[in-house]
Amino acid sequence: MHITQLNRECLLHLFSFLDKNSRKSLAKTCHQLLEVFQDPLLWSLLNFHSPVELKKDNFLLGPALKYLSICWYSERVKVCNIEDWMKNSFQKDFCNRHENTVSDFLLDVCNRCPNLLSLTLSGCGHVTDDCILQLLKNCPHLKTLKLENCVRITDQTLEAVTLYGGSLQTLHVDFCRNITQAGLERVREKCPSVMLRAERSANMIPDSKPEKQLILEKASRKLVQL
């Protein structure tokens, strides 16, 4: 039996075992398989492992998307997580090449994927509070939000959760250095049903401008002397 003789349900099941590149390659072989590739039911789950993958045309965004994960574990993540005022010209140039990639993609998700249930972002050092705010507003069914090592995320995201995260059940803000204990306490107070985890976040040194950093260093030296 030729693959095109299988019914639509079987073809969808077959495609579900393939990665995004393999799905795209198979879809190029004939019109019937292209239609299967374009079926929204095939795209309820998307996993990405680098910002570059977000720019490819081997996937579809649509209302069927429920589970989205963008986890970047490359060594280059460390460059994105350096405070902006501490980056050298090479590091700034590197970040400028992809600074808005994840944020632009998430804004596209806001417009196309209102039924999103779960979002995981790890190592996305350029994602901002405004981006998460828009996502919470446009994806009212979001139940799980996991942010790890997203250094631009601040208490503004926690405030957005209290205002627009009505469906949220799980919130992780691990290793997000600009989250404060006060912000976490506000979430616990306003959203007691949310399972909140903040590993190391409120205990990390937040970003500071050079003049503020000098004050912190002086204060630290005084504490050591005492």
Side-chain angles (χ1 to χ4, degrees), residues 34-207:
L34 176 60
E35 288 183 348
V36 176
F37 175 85
Q38 295 173 338
D39 193 318
L41 294 177
L42 188 62
W43 303 102
S44 62
L45 168 67
L46 280 173
N47 294 315
F48 299 95
H49 303 290
S50 92
V52 175
E53 293 183 22
L54 302 177
K55 295 185 176 182
K56 294 184 178 180
D57 63 346
N58 58 0
F59 63 91
L60 292 180
L61 285 180
L65 182 63
K66 294 184 178 180
Y67 306 95
L68 173 61
S69 172
I70 305 173
C71 297
W72 193 20
Y73 297 114
S74 166
E75 284 295 316
R76 291 175 293 177
V77 170
K78 295 179 180 179
V79 175
C80 298
N81 289 336
I82 297 173
E83 294 91 334
D84 288 340
W85 56 270
M86 289 185 64
K87 291 175 183 174
N88 58 39
S89 58
F90 172 79
Q91 292 166 335
K92 289 180 180 179
D93 180 65
F94 171 78
C95 288
N96 287 338
R97 279 181 254 161
H98 65 263
E99 182 173 7
N100 298 316
T101 301
V102 177
S103 294
D104 290 347
F105 178 82
L106 289 177
L107 291 177
D108 206 12
V109 170
C110 289
N111 295 325
R112 299 189 186 188
C113 312
N115 299 313
L116 190 67
L117 297 178
S118 175
L119 173 65
T120 299
L121 301 177
S122 180
C124 300
H126 298 295
V127 171
T128 63
D129 295 315
D130 289 339
C131 188
I132 301 299
L133 168 64
Q134 292 302 318
L135 191 133
L136 288 168
K137 284 183 175 181
N138 289 277
C139 302
H141 307 297
L142 192 69
K143 294 183 178 181
T144 300
L145 177 59
K146 297 181 179 180
L147 306 174
E148 179 186 43
N149 205 14
C150 297
V151 295
R152 291 194 180 183
I153 295 301
T154 72
D155 286 356
Q156 291 183 36
T157 285
L158 300 182
E159 182 65 21
V161 165
T162 67
L163 296 174
Y164 306 106
S167 298
L168 212 60
Q169 298 176 356
T170 300
L171 173 64
H172 292 179
V173 282
D174 299 332
F175 297 92
C176 297
R177 64 174 177 249
N178 291 301
I179 294 291
T180 70
Q181 193 63 49
L184 295 173
E185 289 301 324
R186 181 165 176 79
V187 173
R188 293 189 179 101
E189 176 187 350
K190 296 293 184 179
C191 310
S193 62
V194 173
M195 295 179 61
L196 176 62
R197 190 181 81 182
E199 185 176 350
R200 295 285 300 277
S201 290
N203 296 322
M204 299 178 75
I205 298 175
D207 291 344

Side-chain angles (χ1 to χ4, degrees), residues 13-24:
H13 186 66
L14 175 64
F15 266 77
S16 70
F17 289 99
L18 304 176
D19 60 32
K20 295 187 289 294
N21 285 332
S22 298
R23 290 178 183 182
K24 183 66 175 181

